[in-house]
């Protein structure tokens, strides 16, 4: 049996236009499946994946330290391709939210011939500058929370805050890992709360999902999303020109400022940028815009056959 099993689910019309949904995180999950409601089930065949090591994919990253080194952006791309191949999908629209947008662009750079178009909300590239902002610079708006977050990192000399959390969360002392995960959640909640009307950070079913989330988030962020230097998305974005893209971002997203989406759009002529003026990091208007963007990318394709169960989950 392979050491990693990737959970996927499909809904809608198998004869319709295929749409891939990539969740945020890293280390989050598909959750309750609300993403499926974004697309007309008569027209679209929507695929969701719990990324390697989290959600319903097994084993959970925290339970498989011997294979943690295999959890990288490059292996996630290979997992996506394995799902696509197993479903017999030739091309699909790729969507993603937050970290999912980074993964969507990285996947498209590797397999441009498999992508009809991209639709992304809360757009990030997981660059060093973005990570340093969300783990430090944004503390200008919540200095007391930043002081606590920095203190609780227990960084050694020369170690970035995110690197300290990544080290502890991947360490053998699971009690210390849980303490680090709790401190990380406090910080995520403090940053999320900066946007007006935003919920107070992510929610988890229990300690295990919290530790998995924090472990994978810090691992990817400490490694620049495993896309360093010349492999960085901004360094390669011109390779995506010709692939239509819809970039959607909240003006009030303080943790992941709109400047990243703007810079991508500036270098990517076949992209369109929609800024949601009164939202932060993914609100209802951004999600509605994401659904509309997928409809636009589908274009004028004829409607598929309708003899199917709208509630199909494979």
């Amino acid at each position: 049996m392979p050491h990693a099993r990737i959970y996927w689910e499909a809904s809608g019309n198998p004869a319709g236009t295929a749409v891939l949904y990539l969740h945020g995180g890293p280390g989050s999950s598909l959750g309750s499946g609300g993403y499926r409601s974004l697309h007309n089930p008569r027209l679209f065949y929507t695929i969701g994946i719990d990324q390697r090591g989290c959600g319903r994919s097994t084993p959970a990253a925290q339970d498989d330290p011997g294979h943690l080194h295999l959890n990288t952006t490059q292996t996630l791309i290979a997992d996506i391709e394995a799902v696509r191949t197993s479903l017999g999908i030739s091309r699909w629209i790729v969507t993603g939210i937050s970290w999912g947008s980074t993964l969507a662009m990285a996947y498209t750079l590797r397999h441009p011939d498999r992508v009809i178009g991209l639709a992304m909300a809360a757009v990030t590239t997981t660059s060093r500058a973005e990570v340093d902002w969300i783990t430090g610079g944004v503390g200008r708006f919540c200095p007391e929370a930043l002081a606590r977050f920095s203190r609780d990192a227990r960084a050694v000399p020369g170690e970035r805050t995110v690197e300290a959390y990544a080290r502890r969360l991947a360490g053998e002392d699971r009690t210390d890992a849980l303490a680090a995960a709790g401190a990380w959640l406090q910080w995520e909640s403090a940053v999320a709360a900066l946007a007006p009307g935003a919920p107070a950070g992510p929610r988890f079913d229990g300690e295990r999902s919290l530790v998995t989330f924090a472990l994978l988030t810090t691992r990817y962020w400490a490694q620049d999303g495993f896309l360093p230097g010349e492999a960085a998305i901004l360094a390669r974005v011109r390779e995506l020109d010709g692939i239509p893209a819809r970039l959607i971002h909240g003006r009030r997203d303080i943790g992941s400022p709109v400047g990243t989406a703007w810079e991508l759009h500036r270098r990517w002529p076949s992209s369109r940028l929609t800024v949601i003026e009164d939202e932060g990091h993914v609100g209802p208007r951004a999600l509605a815009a994401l659904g509309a963007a997928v409809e636009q990318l589908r274009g004028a394709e004829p409607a598929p056959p309708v003899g199917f169960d709208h509630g199909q989950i494979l």
Side-chain angles (χ1 to χ4, degrees):
M1 184 177 69
H3 87 270
R5 297 177 65 88
I6 306 303
Y7 173 85
W8 59 269
E9 59 186 29
S11 62
N13 186 351
T17 301
V19 181
L20 172 66
Y21 172 78
L22 298 172
H23 64 69
S28 187
S29 72
L30 295 173
S32 61
Y35 72 95
R36 294 193 294 267
S37 67
L38 297 176
H39 313 306
N40 183 333
R42 186 176 69 86
L43 300 178
F44 294 100
Y45 188 44
T46 303
I47 314 300
I49 298 173
D50 274 344
Q51 295 161 29
R52 178 180 289 245
C54 63
R56 286 156 286 188
S57 290
T58 59
Q62 65 171 330
D63 297 332
D64 192 29
H67 291 102
L68 188 60
H69 68 285
L70 296 177
N71 201 315
T72 67
T73 300
Q74 291 69 38
T75 53
L76 298 188
I77 290 170
D79 293 340
I80 292 167
E81 271 296 275
V83 171
R84 184 193 61 78
T85 301
S86 70
L87 290 172
I89 294 169
S90 60
R91 298 175 75 228
W92 48 11
I93 296 170
V94 178
T95 73
I97 291 177
S98 193
W99 154 255
S101 66
T102 296
L103 182 55
M105 289 182 283
Y107 171 81
T108 304
L109 284 165
R110 179 67 181 84
H111 298 287
D113 56 324
R114 301 301 183 189
V115 178
I116 298 168
L118 287 155
M120 302 172 291
V123 182
T124 70
T125 71
T126 318
S127 66
R128 175 68 61 98
E130 289 168 74
V131 170
D132 284 350
W133 171 260
I134 200 170
T135 58
V138 72
R140 299 172 191 175
F141 295 96
C142 50
E144 69 285 9
L146 177 62
R148 182 175 61 247
F149 176 62
S150 301
R151 180 198 67 214
D152 291 346
R154 304 177 194 170
V156 300
E159 192 174 43
R160 296 159 65 213
T161 297
V162 68
E163 293 168 349
Y165 278 104
R167 169 179 53 79
R168 291 172 57 204
L169 281 154
E172 295 182 0
D173 186 339
R174 302 320 294 161
T175 300
D176 184 58
L178 179 59
W184 186 266
L185 176 61
Q186 280 189 305
W187 174 248
E188 289 243 358
S189 298
V191 172
L194 293 173
R203 292 288 179 263
F204 300 97
D205 295 334
E207 291 180 354
R208 288 181 56 77
S209 61
L210 166 59
V211 173
T212 293
F213 171 79
L215 168 62
L216 289 177
T217 297
T218 57
R219 172 174 169 76
Y220 277 74
W221 287 10
Q223 297 291 334
D224 304 338
F226 295 95
L227 299 165
E230 294 182 357
I233 288 171
L234 272 175
R236 298 185 62 193
V237 67
R238 287 184 173 85
E239 297 175 35
L240 296 173
D241 192 32
I243 298 174
R246 303 293 184 267
L247 315 180
I248 301 155
H249 210 96
R251 177 78 70 191
R252 300 185 184 187
D253 189 343
I254 297 176
S256 300
V258 69
T260 294
W262 166 253
E263 190 60 30
L264 283 167
H265 172 59
R266 192 178 68 82
R267 304 185 191 191
W268 190 350
S270 59
S271 71
R272 296 180 187 174
L273 173 61
T274 298
V275 177
I276 310 297
E277 294 294 340
D278 58 352
E279 285 189 350
H281 196 69
V282 192
R285 291 183 61 199
L287 291 175
L290 187 67
V294 169
E295 294 272 359
Q296 293 169 7
L297 291 170
R298 180 180 177 275
E301 293 185 31
V306 296
F308 69 100
D309 175 4
H310 286 213
Q312 179 182 14
I313 301 293
L314 304 180

